[in-house]
Amino acid sequence: MTAKSIKAALREWMLPISMTIGAAMYFIFAALPISDAGRESVDDFVSVIQPLMLFTMLFLTFCKVAPHDLKLHRWHFMILGIQMGLFVLFSLAAIWVGEAVAGDEFFGRADLRASFECAMLCFACPTATAAAVVTSKLGGSTASIVSYTMVCNLAVALLAPLMLPLVHPQEGVDFINAFFMIMGKVFPLLICPLILAWFIRYLFPVLHKKILSYPDLAFYIWAVSLALAIAVTFKCIVQSGAGFGCLLGMAVASLISCCMQFWIGKVIGTPYGDRIASGQAMGQKNTVFAIWMGYTFLSPVSSVAGGFYSLWHNIFNSWQLHKAGKK
């Protein structure tokens, strides 16, 4: 087996390898005899390194996209309308079910509400920063998905603060507070790498050309970031304290949401020649943001929604990259 074939195999199976490593990282770390202070230090390190890696991935992606390439297309508004509409629909469903205390029944009212909240977060969650990396590997339009990523994040920053306080009212959390909390998460990881990339493009063209000479760098950074995200996912699920019925309901709700969004995105994007980009734009989510949004605005159990969705969309992406590699 040649070095070239080994590299090709690693690229093709990078996602499942990263996911396996991430899961193993969590269970090994959980089994180690480490003090609570030590575990908190590791959590703090991960909370810092993850945004830095996402920032770097977006920066490298934006370096490949010229400002005049960022255009809005009709399919952007179509899938955004469906995505935000379903978010509102499941928010209203969660409100309709009302607050419920978990009981002994296998799948009671509390579990039903958790499932609705799970679907709500899955549709509200904006497009992942790594979606452009996967889209590029699948042969889709990087510029199209970057444009949608920006629009989708801004739409979530406006609509989520309207609905989340209604679903789970909290003292001191209203539209203004929620808006600035969400923008505090969105702006540094979306606008700042864009400004930096364009700054280097026009003022330091030699450096910009050097960056472009490493086209796969963002992909490998994403592989490491994915391992960390999967470790966080398993931590979220294992430590949620939710019953089996609740976890099962959320797993099914997130799986259905994932399948729906990939399918809807691909169907809508096909007539416009953007099947790959539109599918990834609607289906691949910033699940770290979903976990944060559930934990901050709803409940610790609701944050599991992002964890389950992370598993489903990365499994699907693994299959897509494997299929593309065969071609």
Side-chain angles (χ1 to χ4, degrees):
M1 199 172 187
T2 64
K4 187 176 180 180
S5 61
I6 293 174
K7 183 179 179 181
L10 284 174
R11 284 166 59 88
E12 183 178 342
W13 295 101
M14 185 63 74
L15 264 71
I17 291 173
S18 295
M19 293 174 68
T20 303
I21 291 174
M25 282 169 55
Y26 167 72
F27 288 109
I28 291 173
F29 180 71
L32 292 175
I34 302 176
S35 65
D36 292 340
R39 294 183 185 280
E40 289 180 5
S41 298
V42 173
D43 290 341
D44 291 340
F45 172 76
V46 172
S47 67
V48 172
I49 198 66
Q50 270 191 312
L52 287 176
M53 297 179 76
L54 294 176
F55 183 99
T56 305
M57 280 191 296
L58 265 185
F59 166 72
L60 294 171
T61 300
F62 287 145
C63 282
K64 301 176 183 178
V65 180
H68 59 78
D69 292 332
L70 296 180
K71 301 175 183 177
L72 294 178
H73 302 279
R74 183 177 296 179
W75 66 262
H76 286 158
F77 298 101
M78 294 172 68
I79 67 173
L80 183 64
I82 294 173
Q83 183 180 338
M84 294 298 101
L86 289 170
F87 162 55
V88 172
L89 179 64
F90 283 110
S91 298
L92 295 175
I95 294 172
W96 172 73
V97 171
E99 292 292 339
V101 179
D104 296 329
E105 62 271 29
F106 174 68
F107 191 80
R109 188 173 149 195
D111 299 331
L112 178 62
R113 178 183 171 88
S115 298
F116 282 140
E117 290 182 355
C118 174
M120 177 187 77
L121 289 173
C122 290
F123 284 101
C125 187
T127 304
T129 54
V133 178
V134 180
T135 300
S136 175
K137 289 297 177 187
L138 295 174
S141 171
T142 302
S144 291
I145 196 166
V146 167
S147 300
Y148 183 78
T149 300
M150 297 178 67
V151 171
C152 182
N153 275 272
L154 294 174
V156 171
L158 290 173
L159 188 57
L162 286 174
M163 300 306 302
L164 291 173
L166 297 177
V167 176
H168 191 79
Q170 300 180 63
E171 186 177 352
V173 178
D174 54 15
F175 171 79
I176 299 298
N177 291 333
F179 172 78
F180 281 107
M181 289 172 70
I182 292 175
M183 283 301 295
K185 284 282 185 179
V186 169
F187 184 84
L189 292 180
L190 190 66
I191 306 301
C192 293
L194 177 69
I195 295 173
L196 179 60
W198 288 353
F199 178 80
I200 290 177
R201 171 184 285 270
Y202 293 111
L203 296 182
F204 300 96
V206 176
L207 176 58
H208 179 255
K209 185 177 180 180
K210 185 68 175 178
I211 292 171
L212 293 182
S213 67
Y214 300 98
D216 292 331
L217 182 57
F219 181 73
Y220 293 115
I221 292 175
W222 176 51
V224 177
S225 178
L226 176 59
L228 289 176
I230 293 298
V232 172
T233 291
F234 274 92
K235 176 186 176 183
C236 179
I237 294 172
V238 172
Q239 298 183 4
S240 67
F244 179 74
C246 180
L247 290 176
L248 178 62
M250 297 180 79
V252 172
S254 60
L255 176 59
I256 293 173
S257 300
C258 182
C259 294
M260 282 182 63
Q261 292 188 91
F262 272 110
W263 178 75
I264 292 171
K266 289 180 180 293
V267 168
I268 290 177
T270 298
Y272 301 96
D274 259 339
R275 176 180 174 84
I276 295 174
S278 58
Q280 295 304 126
M282 195 169 184
Q284 189 172 346
K285 301 292 188 178
N286 183 352
T287 53
V288 174
F289 182 81
I291 291 172
W292 171 82
M293 197 159 49
Y295 189 86
T296 303
F297 296 106
L298 298 175
S299 66
V301 172
S302 298
S303 65
V304 176
F308 277 123
Y309 198 100
S310 177
L311 296 176
W312 306 140
H313 83 165
N314 281 303
I315 289 172
F316 183 68
N317 280 336
S318 299
W319 176 78
Q320 289 190 111
L321 289 171
H322 174 68
K323 188 177 178 182
K326 291 291 185 181
K327 291 182 180 179

